[in-house]
Amino acid sequence: MADSPVVRSGFAAPSTPTLRNRRARWKDGRLLLGVLLVAITALGGAKLLSAADDTTAIWAAERDLPAGTKLTSQDLTTVRVRFTSDAAAGQYVAADADLKGLVVTRAVSKGEFVPREAAVTQADSQRTELPLSIATGRLPADTAAGDHVDIWVVPKTADQPAKQLWAEVRVIQVDTAKGVAGGSSRRQVLVGLEPRELTRLPAALAMMSTGEPVLIRRGR
């Protein structure tokens, strides 16, 4: 019996479409999308935690502290407070501040935040406080507690020269500007005088009564 004739064709038999590579690419795409979603979620969570922890750690009195008390960690407790600005936070003693040698110059009640202006070194606590009324234009606008200034007096009569009363006096407190008659404004500044500087106080007060005090700040 003769062999059946072999039918030849110029076309190969159709192959089955490869679906595996397409499925693999689809899985890789989903994996990439998942990684991106996880990264975005983690970044959003980190920002949320960062925004939530915008508090500042400061010291508060653990008990009533009479004026003159030397501050130690046993007298204080750490509290975290959300302030509206860095300037507001800077008015109190930070929890990481060095307490060595600090004393309170006024009584601080239990639970009260410890003000920076009330926590000074032993030498500062022995200074005499002198209040000054300064015209707004006669001191730097951003004068703040802790600055060191030279105090001059400018006579009201132009034929007399200005005179320096004290040098490198520490500013203890500065109040906000207050308006007075005539539309001008003044600021109440509290400075600290060391015992050796008190000998000039009577003459300085006499000169200030006939002139205007001026504060010249030393470099911060």
Side-chain angles (χ1 to χ4, degrees):
M1 183 175 180
D3 295 335
S4 299
V6 177
V7 180
R8 297 182 181 275
S9 170
F11 299 96
S15 59
T16 302
T18 304
L19 300 179
R20 181 177 302 173
N21 290 339
R22 293 181 181 176
R23 290 174 180 171
R25 287 196 297 270
W26 170 243
K27 289 182 179 179
D28 289 344
R30 287 191 297 177
L31 178 61
L32 179 60
L33 180 60
V35 171
L36 288 175
L37 289 175
V38 171
I40 292 172
T41 302
L43 181 61
K47 289 185 177 180
L48 185 61
L49 289 176
S50 176
D53 189 20
D54 59 352
T55 57
T56 302
I58 61 172
W59 287 118
E62 181 72 15
R63 61 180 180 84
D64 289 340
L65 304 176
T69 301
K70 294 183 178 180
L71 292 179
T72 66
S73 56
Q74 286 74 30
D75 298 321
L76 308 171
T77 184
T78 301
V79 294
R80 301 198 68 89
V81 182
R82 182 175 289 106
F83 292 99
T84 56
S85 65
D86 291 340
Q91 295 179 10
Y92 302 96
V93 179
D96 59 355
D98 185 6
L99 300 176
K100 185 177 180 180
L102 293 184
V103 299
V104 288
T105 57
R106 67 165 178 82
V108 178
S109 302
K110 180 179 180 180
E112 181 183 353
F113 302 157
V114 181
R116 285 185 60 185
E117 65 183 31
V120 300
T121 63
Q122 187 71 41
D124 285 340
S125 69
Q126 296 174 348
R127 291 179 177 177
T128 298
E129 297 181 354
L130 173 66
L132 299 173
S133 177
I134 312 291
T136 301
R138 296 184 180 272
L139 80 168
D142 59 346
T143 301
D147 288 347
H148 287 80
V149 296
D150 295 343
I151 302 178
W152 289 69
V153 63
V154 178
K156 295 179 180 179
T157 56
D159 59 339
Q160 295 182 7
K163 294 183 180 180
Q164 184 176 10
L165 304 180
W166 293 285
E168 295 189 58
V169 173
R170 183 177 181 273
V171 176
I172 299 174
Q173 183 179 346
V174 180
D175 290 339
T176 56
K178 298 179 179 179
V180 296
S184 62
S185 60
R186 307 187 71 84
R187 304 192 65 182
Q188 303 301 315
V189 181
L190 191 66
V191 298
L193 301 178
E194 296 182 1
R196 59 182 174 81
E197 296 171 325
L198 295 179
T199 56
R200 300 182 225 165
L201 184 58
L205 292 175
M207 282 189 284
M208 284 189 288
S209 67
T210 59
E212 279 286 348
V214 178
L215 301 187
I216 300 176
R217 185 172 60 203
R218 296 295 183 100
R220 286 182 173 177

